[in-house]
Amino acid sequence: MSITTSSAADALRLNLRSRTAAAPGEVRTTEKPAAWETKKTALIICDMWDDHWCKSAARRVVEMAGPLNEVVKQARAKGVSIIHAPSSVTDFYKGTPQRKRAQSAPFAKTPVPLATAERWGTAWCWTDPKHEAVLPIDDSDMGCSCVGTKCPIVPPWTRQIATIELAPEDALTDNGQETWNLLAERGITNVILAGVHLNMCVLGRPFAIRQQVYLGKNVALMRDMTDTMYNPERPPGVDHFTGTDLVIAHVEQHWCPSFTSTDVTGKPPFRFKEDRR
Ligand SMILES: [Zn+2]
């Protein structure tokens, strides 16, 4: 048996998929292997709340939470830092070791100013015309995907869904500066995003994709552990899961590559039961 102390042995071996515009109207997809040192990698779990104003969105979070928790457990065991980021409900965790760990990480100056715009209880990085095309789905109705009666937009969430376990060594924050401080304290250069919803919070929150790209981190999306707020009755009129795939492709072209949880667990990627394509 070989001794596995090299950094290569402690790496996550990711198949990073990205897209580039090859010619007008033509986008090329490429997949590149990467070895991310686990000690220099954080997994940020975005807005996996205990409930949602859209009943379909809430149901899908429940379905994804168990498999995501399994991925989180394996990533943690490999040495990846876990940051729980349930936006606007961090007070639920007041006084916990995970919350205190984020609050007590020493202040570190960011290389560029953090977002100062506000939306939905945190700072926010809006769609950036210098960096991306318009989103490929119309979520201007907020994206209730329920058939028939549409859900009233009344946020009911109070905490992160309990299925996702908080380990003693994890951290919990929804704040951009606290996230940066945690990453700086641990020498983390690689940031993985998982959670919901990709067209909104997983891109826009101050710990999420746009902000981490602006800050110069190596960023990747775990693309089977996400979902969107997309109503198939809105343009482009595709089914909900095709809508999510379109946003994943948007991220891969304009923001960061993606990979599936298979690269962490060795198991098949997660797929929603309602995805009958
Ligand atoms: Zn709904």
Side-chain angles (χ1 to χ4, degrees), residues 145-159:
S145 58
C146 298
V147 176
T149 310
K150 290 296 178 185
C151 300
I153 302 171
V154 184
W157 47 82
T158 60
R159 54 165 295 173

Side-chain angles (χ1 to χ4, degrees), residues 12-23:
L12 290 178
R13 302 198 169 276
L14 306 178
N15 294 291
L16 297 179
R17 191 174 81 185
S18 51
R19 292 171 201 257
T20 44

Side-chain angles (χ1 to χ4, degrees), residues 7-223:
S7 61
D10 296 331
L12 290 178
R13 302 198 169 276
L14 306 178
N15 294 291
L16 297 179
R17 191 174 81 185
S18 51
R19 292 171 201 257
T20 44
E26 191 193 319
V27 176
R28 187 179 300 145
T29 306
T30 51
E31 202 163 83
K32 264 195 240 169
W36 282 12
E37 205 179 320
T38 56
K39 295 282 179 216
K40 292 186 175 175
T41 303
L43 168 55
I44 301 182
I45 303 161
C46 178
D47 292 7
M48 286 290 287
W49 293 310
D50 58 335
D51 201 356
H52 201 276
W53 58 261
C54 172
K55 294 300 163 207
S56 296
R59 194 173 61 240
R60 288 192 297 268
V61 162
V62 168
E63 185 185 348
M64 190 172 79
L68 176 54
N69 187 53
E70 287 306 310
V71 178
V72 168
K73 278 203 276 194
Q74 293 203 30
R76 185 189 291 120
K78 291 173 199 275
V80 172
S81 287
I82 308 299
I83 302 177
H84 305 266
S87 298
S88 77
V89 293
T90 57
D91 276 356
F92 180 87
Y93 300 91
K94 197 176 173 188
T96 62
Q98 294 82 9
R99 185 75 200 95
K100 286 199 270 191
R101 182 166 291 113
Q103 289 167 309
S104 63
F107 175 83
K109 196 175 184 317
T110 55
V112 295
L114 293 165
T116 54
E118 276 188 46
R119 190 187 197 192
W120 300 336
T122 67
W124 191 268
C125 296
W126 286 96
T127 309
D128 180 353
K130 290 196 205 80
H131 210 109
E132 66 191 301
V134 293
L135 283 181
I137 55 169
D138 177 359
D139 60 10
S140 58
D141 66 342
M142 297 290 283
C144 166
S145 58
C146 298
V147 176
T149 310
K150 290 296 178 185
C151 300
I153 302 171
V154 184
W157 47 82
T158 60
R159 54 165 295 173
Q160 182 167 273
I161 189 165
T163 315
I164 298 171
E165 296 155 324
L166 270 64
E169 65 267 39
D170 295 355
L172 187 144
T173 182
D174 65 353
N175 178 278
Q177 183 65 56
E178 287 181 5
T179 303
W180 178 260
N181 296 345
L182 282 165
L183 301 182
E185 183 182 36
R186 299 170 182 199
I188 288 169
T189 52
N190 311 314
V191 176
I192 296 166
L193 261 297
V196 297
H197 288 95
L198 184 59
N199 51 319
M200 296 174 174
C201 300
V202 182
L203 277 166
R205 292 285 186 188
F207 51 78
I209 289 175
R210 288 192 187 102
Q211 185 68 81
Q212 297 300 343
V213 170
Y214 294 144
L215 290 167
K217 296 299 182 191
N218 302 315
V219 187
L221 166 70
M222 200 186 290
R223 68 173 175 267

